[in-house]
Amino acid sequence: MASSKAYHHGNLRQVLIETGLKLIEEKGVQALTLREIGDRIGVSRMAPYRHFADKAALVAAICVEGFTRFADDLDNAKKLARPDFASRMTAMGVAYVRFATEHPAYFEVMFGPFANPADAEPGEGPGERAFGLLEETIREGQASGDVQPGDSQVLALVAWALVHGVSALRLEGSGAGNALTKFACGILQEGLRPTASARKSGDSRPLADR
């Protein structure tokens, strides 16, 4: 019950977020209330409202914080991997699934109805940086000849969808782990490669347009 002390030290906002995450893990986003969070941390019923106007504002803050940490993990994974496209994509895929596994409450909020808070500017939603890292990697793969030409955003969406699916399976308890993630990333990378005939003919059209 550290919360009244935490409040006086000015970090009640973070305590509210952390307690909210614990409640989401236990009960899901729909059951989250500011009143229960306040009761759990031992502050007055009005104290949470000094930081968040309502539940939606708290969940939106959790979403932003989750995507910030998520993007940091992807960025770090890419930087620590070998500089070739395959190594970077696999490292980012493993980091994606690991984040989902280690932070299920964040993951539930990030990909739920609060993933793009109403006050976010177009192109500046909380997930934009994470997706931008993936699209940047796709463009680098195109420049190195490892990825077929075409719309890098569409190709990044395909990659995102595959790894997100593996993450969902892992959270559902299917046993999907690093081995499946790496295998899926390998299949993805093969699918992204320019075809041998296209390389020989110099056909720069996206595979879907041939």
Side-chain angles (χ1 to χ4, degrees):
M1 291 288 197
S3 309
S4 94
K5 181 178 179 182
Y7 174 73
H8 289 304
H9 282 278
N11 60 352
L12 177 60
R13 185 180 190 278
Q14 189 60 35
V15 173
L16 291 168
I17 289 175
E18 291 171 359
T19 306
L21 285 164
K22 291 177 183 176
L23 273 170
I24 291 168
E25 286 185 5
E26 294 172 13
K27 302 180 178 182
V29 177
Q30 298 304 319
L32 185 70
T33 66
L34 285 173
R35 178 175 179 177
E36 183 171 357
I37 292 172
D39 288 344
R40 285 203 176 196
I41 62 180
V43 296
S44 70
R45 291 185 179 178
M46 293 307 299
Y49 292 95
R50 296 170 188 166
H51 296 273
F52 301 105
D54 51 24
K55 168 185 170 178
L58 170 61
V59 176
I62 290 173
C63 175
V64 171
E65 182 171 288
F67 267 116
T68 298
R69 297 182 62 174
F70 178 58
D72 286 345
D73 283 2
L74 295 182
D75 194 19
N76 288 334
K78 180 177 178 178
K79 288 176 178 176
L80 292 172
R82 292 194 301 271
D84 59 282
F85 173 73
S87 296
R88 286 178 168 177
M89 283 292 286
T90 299
M92 291 172 72
V94 170
Y96 192 122
V97 177
R98 182 172 59 243
F99 182 92
T101 304
E102 295 179 353
H103 306 287
Y106 272 133
F107 204 71
E108 180 180 350
V109 172
M110 288 158 57
F111 296 101
F114 295 97
N116 290 292
D119 59 352
E121 294 295 325
E124 296 181 359
E128 292 297 326
R129 178 173 163 237
F131 184 77
L133 286 166
L134 177 57
E135 187 179 0
E136 174 188 67
T137 307
I138 292 292
R139 290 197 303 269
E140 291 167 353
Q142 289 176 321
S144 65
D146 293 299
V147 177
Q148 62 181 271
D151 188 330
S152 59
Q153 187 173 64
V154 171
L155 295 175
L157 279 170
V158 171
W160 188 291
L162 184 144
V163 182
H164 189 84
V166 174
S167 300
L169 288 173
R170 181 72 178 270
L171 289 174
E172 290 170 3
S174 71
N178 282 354
L180 178 61
T181 304
K182 291 178 180 178
F183 180 67
C185 287
I187 292 176
L188 172 67
Q189 289 156 26
E190 285 300 315
L192 290 173
R193 290 183 189 279
T195 64
S197 59
R199 287 195 295 270
K200 289 179 181 178
S201 66
D203 189 347
S204 62
R205 291 176 297 159
L207 185 62
D209 294 339
R210 291 177 202 150

